[in-house]
Amino acid sequence: MPSARRSAAFDPISPDLDLDALVQQTPNFEYVTRISCDMIETQGLDTFEKLVLLHVIIGGRPLVIEGFHKRLDEWTFTNGWLQDNHGKKFEQARNLSKQTNMTVSIGHYLNNIGKLTNQWNRHNYRDRDRQRLYLKDIDCPQVWHDKLREVIPPNLFYLNDSTGDVAGPGSVDEPNPHASGLRRSRGVARAGDLMSCLPPAMRAENLMCYIGHEGTYTPAHREMCASLGQNLMVETSGTLDPDGKPTKPGSSIWFMTESKDRHLVSEYWLSTLGHDIEIEAHFAQINAWKSAPFKTYVVEQKLGDFILIPPLAPHQVWNRGTRTMKVAWNRTTVETLELALDEALPRARMVGRDEQYKNKAMIYFALDRYSGLLKHVDHQTRTAAQPNFAQALMYSPKIRQLQKDFRRLFSLYTRLLLSEALPHNPRDDKKIQYLPFDSNVTCSFCRCNIFNRFLTCPTCVVPLENGEEDTYDICLECYAMGRSCRCISGYRWVEQFKWQELTEKHERWRQQIISFEGGLSDKSPQSLHMERQYMRKKPLAQVCQEQLKLRPWNDPKKPPPAPKTSKDADESRVNVNGEVSPKKKKPQVIEKGYMKNHVSNYPEPIWKLGVCSCGRAYSYGSLFRAFDVAPLTVMEDPDWQCPHCLRICSCGKCRKVAGIQPYEPTGTVLGYDTRRVADPRSTESLVDFRQSNFEWVKKAGDDLPAGEETRRLSRRFDEAEAAKSQGDALDGDHYVDEDGDMTMVNGNAARSAEGQAEGASPTAQASPDDIPIDPLLGGLPPAEASNSRPTSHNPAPHNEDAEHDSVKETPLFRFVAPSAVMLDQRHLGGGFTTDANGIVFQYPDPTDPDPTVPQYAPPQVEHRLQPSSSAENGKKRKRSDVLQSDLLDPNEANELYHKAQVKRTLMEARRNNRHIIAEAAMSGKSLPVKLKMDKDKLAHIISQPPSENTQPAPRPKSSTLILQSDYPSPSDKKPVPNPLKRARVERDNDFTTRSKGKKTNKAPQASDLPKTSKYMEISSESEDEETMEDVDETHTGKDEPKPRPLPAYLARKNDVGDNEIPKELSSESKQRPSRRKSTLVETAVTNRPSPNIGRLRDSSKGAKEPVDEAISVAEANRKAKLRAMQWDQDDSDDDDSDPESPPEEQPDGANQKTPAPKPSSVAPLRNGSSSAPSKGARAVTPSGGPRSVFSNGKKVRIVSAMNADKRHSMGS
């Protein structure tokens, strides 16, 4: 399990921090070197690229380029532009106080960012309950991306595919996208970002935006996969918003380190602060940085500051002010790929951090692209008409640098193939399954990206709901470490590239290197077969193949077998008199397939042990924690020697043997609990990586009190100093000086008379000091601008009896205690202590899954440092099963932890104004209290009836919740009711051509209305928000079936806004035949409101849909018939004869007469006389106004939109 030792607590930074005073007063604090962006144009891109290479990539120091805010578009990179264009986009905001995510829109977050900032002051900035919402890792707008491309130097920008010059060596004619004709392309050169070599579908999109307010932060971390980080501040708040509201100026404080101090920083985090920097979960206190044994670079990033972050250099960020907006991205180069394979990927694999950059695939595709470029250069050289042109191509600095990068990538590619090489066996080759590469296969345990070969379990396959299968795939590195599913063995091999294809490309690229290097030489790369023979170790794939045969297969469907009872247990005999006879020890019997572990002297399965040729066996867990030996190191070495043979064994028996010097662990291992990130089907069978190595550190005597330097830190410090002493010069085997014979003298280019001095190459003389950097921009006087390092170091001696003849100088910034403790524990609550350096620590609960969050719980009597559960069966572990490394000194640990729990509980009770009761309850004390009261008043109180609420009303707490999510929940997606009006609608069967009786000119009474008349609710809002809903209400109140929905053509008509009835049929409907026979409308609304009141619309249909030909014809017929009925009502000379035919369809050739309509619910208007229409009815045009064509008293022929040969006249 992870260590239960104390760990440094989170201590926020005060809003009133004086950063300048802090840097000046702290010996190991230094401002980062700054240059102006105008110097890039003055000195040229080639000089700037060389500066980045020497200072950032090779030197490993951060660099700030200031002044980019003058070149950014002042209208685009603003808060208002982001709200107007992306304000409705929802993103995940990180709640740093609760370690949870909240879905909010960008506009909602920006509108409330002032409130989130104003909540903090110098008195409450340590409050743990207040919101710290950080809008991080959101997609960068495309407009910002395009505008940044015009401002940022090309070699530093996101996904740069070429650092060549326009019309440079190797350029060709290409179409001009901005004008007609051709233009000259960029010359052949290496890519600024090797991610651009991947196919677009395989690239990781890492161009992100970060929006924060006062109190938000990014914990200490390294850039993913050892990549280069770029961070630009594009917008900050000032003293006033555009609306005139006061705001606080925005900026960000960076605490940064060098790449060459990375191992020292990591050990300081592990041994002193109690955190693993690979987890990215701890923001270090200022006191921790002040006490660190390394130099800390400080940056206050303001508007327009562009920060370049070295690879593998730990850093953390704290945001200040009302608003900060940053754009960040990462780049991958050949140098970062080497660091990724050597350090970054193994560390990420240990903690289960997913790999997003696909480094191994990047090597393959970058080689393929560079090979094509070099072939193009070779073709131009051979076909050049002029010798000078061919010579310029061959000796071009950019092309020569491309060749050197190609050679370095080829070396990495050779390492990949050698690690996956299997002994040639035709039978085994046929058993390998082929899966085409799509870059989406990841390890189920460590989540790294798998390039080619891996293992898959045919048993642990889980079917998904979508029909696919979730397979359990494991990378070769994890399987060699003992990580797998519960089957442990029985895996199958899978490859994503044909092995023959990979080896053929390897040989082709090798020949290409030999060609441009001028032929075979001692430095020429060897063939893959020869490289395999020169290997003294087994390839990784061969190790996994052997382990598949050694490890047993377990059926995951069956329960785990019960532990076997030891047969060699001691037996005690009792005689007749009840006396116990001496125990008879039986010889220990070791079963087949088991061997004794040399450290624990307990039999274990052989496949869990590393066996030496001397016959001794060590468990892989002991080798990993006590001797810093990984399982793969033992498995791949056929001549492996155990620690006893090397005379460094540190077990109890070997410590007593003369001539053996016990081994000291070189680093701290806290333990890595990967159960929350690995696949639930996973297990660790060889090494429990959750265990720490503190037991072995204590045995070595290196577990010193907090604040004192350990030998582990001293060793890392010496390694860092040795790396810095090598300088930052360019290696002639890997780099080319693009200035040719130009040398840098005091920052100015000067050409020597002879080109260069004898025996000295220009590449070997290049250093960061040659780059023109203004010392005044670094925040130091010119005399102090150079990076000062300690000249010597005095580590803790390994031999206490050793005598030192000379006293070494102590560095100025080694563990300097701050002059005053900057932390007030009264604001932190219980469970926290400070050391001599002012660093705040807390003792985590071992049973808590997240030890970084303190748990406020009453103190327990039992030992809380003892683990309460195991990973496998959930049973309580015995104390004998707990390693001593998991526990502190019993006397010290129990006392300190009990005090911490008591103080924590009392602080929580004090916040609720119940600390007196809590303190009395914990101490078991009680105090009777007598109160004097008047008898009459007491009798009055007793006579009062008891209140219904016996519980005291809780005191209102001051809520610290400021911002809540505005993401609509499913319950919030109900339609908002609109103001509705009721309009009576005739039923479908009301439209008939048969008269129900004689018409009368009087207005209809309520008793004359049909008892089953339907009503509709009609909206009276704007046209964009109108809806219509059918209701089932009737006058009789009886339940009747719901009416049919509004016809589709009627809904479409209303959507397009056609509210006026045409006066005649359209010429198009008369001339174009219909695709189907015309029928009467099924539903009609006679009492329609006017257009300014509202329109009917079926909410279930889309608006403005195209109306087809058949629907247009049916609509025209319906309108004509409605006008005919209206004309029939207005005609006073109409007789009362019944129609001869119903409205059903007649056979072709049959005549139809105009049907008489059903009595309308609205009294007809005659000869200009007026009559009040019913509620909701449409008024009829009076005689004085414009009359319809149907109201002229003439007979109207209604023509159906049928074929011309099938039209028949219709009698009136």
Side-chain angles (χ1 to χ4, degrees):
M1 60 167 292
S3 172
R5 291 167 62 101
R6 65 177 190 174
S7 58
F10 167 68
D11 184 26
I13 297 178
S14 173
D16 300 335
L17 174 68
D18 188 352
L19 187 62
D20 292 334
L22 176 66
V23 175
Q24 293 177 4
Q25 297 173 5
T26 308
N28 64 320
F29 278 15
E30 180 180 314
Y31 279 118
V32 176
T33 302
R34 286 176 173 265
I35 65 173
S36 174
C37 61
D38 299 332
M39 293 184 62
I40 301 176
E41 297 180 354
T42 304
Q43 301 292 334
L45 285 176
D46 293 343
T47 304
F48 174 72
E49 186 176 354
K50 184 178 179 181
L51 168 64
V52 175
L53 177 64
L54 289 170
H55 189 83
V56 181
I57 300 178
I58 299 178
R61 293 181 293 274
L63 180 67
V64 178
I65 309 169
E66 60 184 9
F68 276 102
H69 63 285
K70 302 177 183 178
R71 305 185 180 187
L72 296 176
D73 186 6
E74 59 181 1
W75 304 106
T76 305
F77 294 94
T78 60
N79 177 30
W81 184 94
L82 193 61
Q83 290 197 59
D84 295 340
N85 295 272
H86 299 272
K88 296 182 179 180
K89 184 180 180 181
F90 287 93
E91 297 287 354
Q92 293 291 327
R94 184 66 175 174
N95 189 344
L96 301 174
S97 301
K98 304 296 182 181
Q99 295 298 313
T100 56
N101 292 332
M102 177 189 296
T103 304
V104 296
S105 63
I106 297 179
H108 183 57
Y109 178 83
L110 293 176
N111 290 333
N112 294 273
I113 198 170
K115 299 179 181 178
L116 294 171
T117 301
N118 295 331
Q119 66 176 331
W120 302 106
N121 53 55
R122 58 184 302 180
H123 303 290
N124 65 357
Y125 70 95
R126 286 194 176 99
D127 193 344
R128 295 176 177 270
D129 298 329
R130 295 183 180 272
Q131 286 183 314
R132 303 179 187 268
L133 295 179
Y134 197 8
L135 204 59
K136 58 186 302 186
D137 295 330
I138 64 175
D139 295 333
C140 179
Q142 185 62 34
V143 178
W144 285 15
H145 171 272
D146 298 338
K147 291 187 176 295
L148 287 175
R149 182 188 293 273
E150 303 173 358
V151 176
I152 303 298
N155 58 321
L156 299 183
F157 194 64
Y158 176 62
L159 292 180
N160 174 262
D161 57 354
S162 176
T163 58
D165 301 327
V166 177
S171 60
V172 296
D173 293 333
E174 64 179 6
N176 190 349
H178 305 291
S180 59
L182 300 177
R183 69 174 184 181
R184 203 66 179 173
S185 66
R186 288 187 176 271
V188 174
R190 61 177 179 175
D193 185 3
L194 291 180
M195 183 75 70
S196 61
C197 298
L198 290 175
M202 301 182 187
R203 298 171 183 172
E205 297 181 1
N206 55 33
L207 184 65
M208 300 296 177
C209 290
Y210 298 80
I211 306 175
H213 60 84
E214 175 72 47
T216 56
Y217 60 90
T218 300
H221 67 286
R222 316 179 208 241
E223 295 300 321
M224 182 178 293
C225 299
S227 58
L228 292 164
Q230 286 78 211
N231 192 293
L232 175 63
M233 183 76 77
V234 297
E235 201 272 343
T236 59
S237 58
T239 56
L240 289 176
D241 257 358
D243 299 336
K245 298 180 180 179
T247 57
K248 300 179 181 179
S251 64
S252 297
I253 302 177
W254 291 62
F255 297 90
M256 312 181 72
T257 59
E258 296 185 43
S259 296
K260 296 179 181 179
D261 286 333
R262 59 185 181 273
H263 301 299
L264 178 61
V265 177
S266 179
E267 180 60 33
Y268 178 72
W269 241 251
L270 292 168
S271 60
T272 304
L273 303 184
H275 294 277
D276 192 345
I277 204 168
E278 302 295 337
I279 305 297
E280 301 184 11
H282 177 62
F283 183 87
Q285 312 163 23
I286 292 182
N287 285 337
W289 290 101
K290 296 170 70 174
S291 305
F294 48 82
K295 182 182 295 185
T296 300
Y297 294 92
V298 181
V299 180
E300 185 175 10
Q301 185 185 21
K302 298 183 179 181
L303 181 62
D305 287 349
F306 185 35
I307 301 180
L308 303 183
I309 307 166
L312 291 179
H315 57 279
Q316 68 182 26
V317 187
W318 182 270
N319 296 320
R320 308 179 74 182
T322 302
R323 184 179 60 257
T324 60
M325 293 186 183
K326 298 185 283 288
V327 178
W329 65 92
N330 293 78
R331 294 188 303 120
T332 304
T333 62
V334 180
E335 296 83 3
T336 63
L337 283 178
E338 293 176 345
L339 293 174
L341 293 185
D342 294 337
E343 298 184 33
L345 292 184
R347 291 177 178 269
R349 185 178 296 110
M350 188 65 67
V351 300
R353 185 182 181 184
D354 57 338
E355 177 195 356
Q356 300 179 3
Y357 290 174
K358 305 170 184 176
N359 294 269
K360 296 180 180 180
M362 204 180 302
I363 296 173
Y364 173 80
F365 286 99
L367 276 171
D368 192 46
R369 183 174 182 274
Y370 282 7
S371 175
L373 293 177
L374 292 176
K375 287 181 180 179
H376 170 71
V377 172
D378 183 63
H379 175 72
Q380 284 189 340
T381 303
R382 287 186 285 103
T383 59
Q386 301 178 359
N388 295 336
F389 180 77
Q391 187 175 6
L393 285 175
M394 294 175 58
Y395 294 99
S396 170
K398 291 187 178 293
I399 295 179
R400 288 167 56 200
Q401 185 61 54
L402 177 65
Q403 295 173 352
K404 290 183 178 294
D405 285 4
F406 184 77
R407 174 68 184 267
R408 297 175 71 176
L409 290 172
F410 181 80
S411 300
L412 298 177
Y413 181 67
T414 304
R415 288 175 52 183
L416 296 182
L417 294 187
L418 290 177
S419 65
E420 297 185 358
L422 286 170
H424 179 65
N425 189 347
R427 295 183 179 179
D428 295 340
D429 295 343
K430 294 181 180 179
K431 297 180 181 179
I432 299 179
Q433 180 185 354
Y434 173 71
L435 179 68
F437 180 78
D438 60 355
S439 75
N440 294 325
V441 179
T442 58
C443 178
S444 299
F445 200 107
C446 69
R447 303 189 297 173
C448 73
N449 186 262
I450 299 177
F451 170 62
N452 185 29
R453 285 181 172 174
F454 62 94
L455 298 171
T456 184
C457 181
T459 305
C460 299
V461 179
V462 179
L464 302 178
E465 296 180 356
N466 56 2
E468 299 181 356
E469 294 180 345
D470 183 16
T471 59
Y472 189 90
D473 305 326
I474 195 78
C475 65
L476 303 184
E477 291 84 358
C478 280
Y479 191 75
M481 295 167 58
R483 294 173 167 178
S484 63
C485 64
R486 294 182 177 88
C487 298
I488 298 180
S489 185
Y491 285 78
R492 294 178 181 175
W493 286 92
V494 185
E495 64 180 9
Q496 303 181 74
F497 291 93
K498 294 294 184 181
W499 186 253
Q500 183 179 1
E501 176 187 353
L502 296 179
T503 54
E504 288 178 355
K505 287 192 174 183
H506 181 275
E507 182 62 23
R508 189 184 313 137
W509 293 335
R510 187 180 75 91
Q511 295 296 334
Q512 195 171 1
I513 293 175
I514 295 174
S515 174
F516 63 69
E517 286 185 350
L520 283 172
S521 64
D522 296 338
K523 297 183 179 181
S524 299
Q526 300 293 328
S527 63
L528 190 63
H529 178 69
M530 296 299 297
E531 293 282 359
R532 177 66 183 88
Q533 289 184 351
Y534 292 152
M535 286 184 63
R536 297 182 180 180
K537 300 178 181 179
K538 301 176 184 178
L540 176 61
Q542 184 179 351
V543 169
C544 295
Q545 191 179 43
E546 295 175 355
Q547 290 297 314
L548 284 173
K549 299 177 182 178
L550 289 177
R551 302 178 189 179
W553 180 79
N554 298 331
D555 190 353
K557 300 180 182 179
K558 295 182 180 180
K564 298 180 180 180
T565 305
S566 178
K567 298 182 180 180
D568 57 343
D570 298 339
E571 297 181 0
S572 300
R573 296 184 180 183
V574 181
N575 57 16
V576 180
N577 299 328
E579 298 176 355
V580 179
S581 60
K583 295 180 179 180
K584 182 179 180 181
K585 294 184 178 180
K586 291 185 177 181
Q588 190 176 18
V589 180
I590 300 177
E591 299 181 1
K592 184 180 180 180
Y594 282 74
M595 287 187 67
K596 272 189 177 182
N597 183 1
H598 178 73
V599 177
S600 64
N601 201 25
Y602 186 81
E604 294 187 19
I606 297 179
W607 62 273
K608 290 187 175 183
L609 302 172
V611 183
C612 180
S613 58
C614 67
R616 295 178 177 84
Y618 287 75
S619 67
Y620 289 111
S622 299
L623 291 173
F624 178 76
R625 285 184 287 270
F627 305 99
D628 299 330
V629 177
L632 180 59
T633 305
V634 181
M635 299 172 184
E636 68 183 1
D637 190 359
D639 302 325
W640 176 74
Q641 291 182 328
C642 66
H644 182 83
C645 296
L646 297 175
R647 317 301 290 174
I648 58 172
C649 185
S650 56
C651 68
K653 294 181 297 183
C654 294
R655 285 178 180 270
K656 303 176 183 179
V657 178
I660 291 184
Q661 185 175 1
Y663 180 84
E664 290 187 14
T666 58
T668 305
V669 177
L670 290 180
Y672 313 97
D673 190 359
T674 57
R675 288 176 295 179
R676 289 180 290 182
V677 295
D679 193 286
R681 298 166 286 183
S682 303
T683 185
E684 294 176 340
S685 56
L686 295 184
V687 182
D688 187 2
F689 291 100
R690 295 171 296 166
Q691 301 289 344
S692 64
N693 68 341
F694 287 131
E695 177 186 3
W696 300 99
V697 172
K698 287 182 179 180
K699 289 182 179 180
D702 199 22
D703 190 25
L704 302 179
E708 297 186 16
E709 184 178 357
T710 62
R711 292 191 294 272
R712 290 162 287 159
L713 272 177
S714 301
R715 196 176 295 111
R716 299 301 185 200
F717 184 88
D718 294 338
E719 295 174 357
E721 291 301 305
K724 295 175 184 177
S725 64
Q726 296 179 0
D728 305 330
L730 293 178
D731 184 5
D733 295 335
H734 294 160
Y735 299 101
V736 175
D737 188 2
E738 294 190 6
D739 296 328
D741 57 351
M742 299 284 290
T743 58
M744 304 295 295
V745 179
N746 296 328
N748 298 321
R751 184 181 302 272
S752 61
E754 299 178 359
Q756 64 182 24
E758 295 182 3
S761 61
T763 58
Q765 300 297 327
S767 67
D769 298 333
D770 300 333
I771 307 301
I773 301 178
D774 188 359
L776 296 178
L777 293 176
L780 296 174
E784 303 176 1
S786 61
N787 298 326
S788 58
R789 298 193 183 96
T791 57
S792 61
H793 170 55
N794 185 13
H798 295 275
N799 187 1
E800 297 179 357
D801 299 333
E803 297 181 358
H804 300 276
D805 298 335
S806 59
V807 179
K808 297 183 179 180
E809 181 183 358
T810 304
L812 296 177
F813 59 89
R814 302 290 314 285
F815 285 95
V816 178
S819 57
V821 177
M822 301 177 62
L823 180 66
D824 186 0
Q825 296 186 44
R826 293 176 296 177
H827 298 283
L828 289 177
F832 297 91
T833 59
T834 56
D835 64 354
N837 296 324
I839 304 176
V840 187
F841 291 90
Q842 64 184 5
Y843 285 91
D845 188 352
T847 61
D848 183 25
D850 189 1
T852 60
V853 181
Q855 301 295 317
Y856 298 96
Q860 302 294 332
V861 179
E862 69 271 19
H863 301 293
R864 295 298 298 276
L865 288 176
Q866 180 175 349
S868 61
S869 61
S870 61
E872 295 296 331
N873 51 19
K875 296 181 180 179
K876 189 172 182 178
R877 294 172 57 185
K878 298 180 180 179
R879 189 174 181 84
S880 59
D881 296 335
V882 183
L883 292 178
Q884 293 298 324
S885 61
D886 296 336
L887 303 176
L888 298 172
D889 185 5
N891 298 328
E892 178 187 0
N894 294 337
E895 182 180 357
L896 289 177
Y897 193 74
H898 181 73
K899 290 181 179 180
Q901 290 282 41
V902 171
K903 184 181 292 186
R904 182 186 307 171
T905 306
L906 290 178
M907 291 300 299
E908 182 67 17
R910 186 180 297 276
R911 295 175 183 175
N912 300 330
N913 295 328
R914 43 185 295 274
H915 58 282
I916 298 178
I917 301 175
E919 186 176 3
M922 286 188 293
S923 60
K925 298 179 181 179
S926 61
L927 178 62
V929 179
K930 294 183 179 181
L931 299 177
K932 294 183 179 180
M933 185 177 293
D934 187 23
K935 294 183 179 180
D936 298 337
K937 188 174 183 180
L938 179 61
H940 175 71
I941 294 176
I942 295 175
S943 62
Q944 294 292 332
S947 72
E948 298 179 358
N949 186 11
T950 58
Q951 304 249 347
R955 295 187 179 183
K957 294 184 178 181
S958 58
S959 176
T960 58
L961 186 63
I962 295 179
L963 182 63
Q964 295 182 354
S965 175
D966 60 337
Y967 187 79
S969 60
S971 58
D972 298 336
K973 294 183 179 180
K974 297 180 180 179
V976 180
N978 295 328
L980 302 176
K981 290 189 176 182
R982 298 171 61 87
R984 193 173 66 80
V985 180
E986 298 290 352
R987 290 179 29 155
D988 294 345
N989 54 8
D990 293 338
F991 284 86
T992 175
T993 56
R994 297 189 179 272
S995 175
K996 302 292 175 111
K998 292 185 177 181
K999 298 184 179 62
T1000 57
N1001 294 333
K1002 64 179 181 179
Q1005 302 297 327
S1007 59
D1008 298 336
L1009 294 175
K1011 296 184 178 181
T1012 58
S1013 298
K1014 296 290 183 178
Y1015 282 79
M1016 289 187 180
E1017 295 180 353
I1018 302 175
S1019 172
S1020 60
E1021 288 189 353
S1022 62
E1023 295 183 357
D1024 294 337
E1025 299 179 355
E1026 291 171 358
T1027 58
M1028 183 275 292
E1029 297 181 357
D1030 295 344
V1031 295
D1032 298 335
E1033 299 179 3
T1034 61
H1035 286 284
T1036 58
K1038 298 181 180 179
D1039 296 336
E1040 293 186 8
K1042 295 182 179 180
R1044 288 190 295 268
L1046 201 64
Y1049 62 85
L1050 185 57
R1052 292 190 183 97
K1053 177 189 75 64
N1054 290 310
D1055 284 344
V1056 298
D1058 185 11
N1059 294 300
E1060 296 296 333
I1061 300 177
K1063 298 181 179 180
E1064 60 181 358
L1065 298 179
S1066 62
S1067 58
E1068 182 181 3
S1069 62
K1070 294 180 181 180
Q1071 298 176 1
R1072 186 169 52 190
S1074 174
R1075 297 182 183 178
R1076 61 182 181 181
K1077 296 181 180 179
S1078 175
T1079 58
L1080 292 176
V1081 294
E1082 298 178 356
T1083 306
V1085 181
T1086 58
N1087 298 327
R1088 297 181 58 196
S1090 60
N1092 58 349
I1093 296 180
R1095 295 183 302 160
L1096 295 175
R1097 186 176 66 178
D1098 188 0
S1099 61
S1100 63
K1101 301 295 182 180
K1104 297 184 180 180
E1105 298 180 358
V1107 181
D1108 57 8
E1109 179 182 349
I1111 295 177
S1112 301
V1113 174
E1115 179 67 12
N1117 289 339
R1118 184 192 70 84
K1119 295 176 181 178
K1121 292 183 181 294
L1122 287 176
R1123 279 304 181 185
M1125 287 185 257
Q1126 184 69 28
W1127 162 75
D1128 191 17
Q1129 292 179 1
D1130 295 339
D1131 191 1
S1132 59
D1133 298 334
D1134 191 3
D1135 55 3
D1136 296 336
S1137 60
D1138 293 336
E1140 297 180 359
S1141 59
E1144 289 81 15
E1145 292 184 356
Q1146 300 293 337
D1148 295 343
N1151 295 332
Q1152 297 182 2
K1153 295 184 178 180
T1154 305
K1158 176 181 174 291
S1160 176
S1161 59
V1162 183
L1165 300 178
R1166 295 187 56 193
N1167 300 329
S1169 61
S1170 62
S1171 176
S1174 62
K1175 183 178 181 181
R1178 182 176 179 180
V1180 181
T1181 304
S1183 58
R1187 297 177 56 85
S1188 172
V1189 69
F1190 297 97
S1191 303
N1192 53 9
K1194 298 181 180 180
K1195 297 182 179 180
V1196 179
R1197 172 189 254 181
I1198 300 177
V1199 182
S1200 174
M1202 300 181 182
N1203 296 334
D1205 55 348
K1206 296 182 179 181
R1207 296 176 182 169
H1208 297 278
S1209 62
M1210 303 175 61
S1212 56

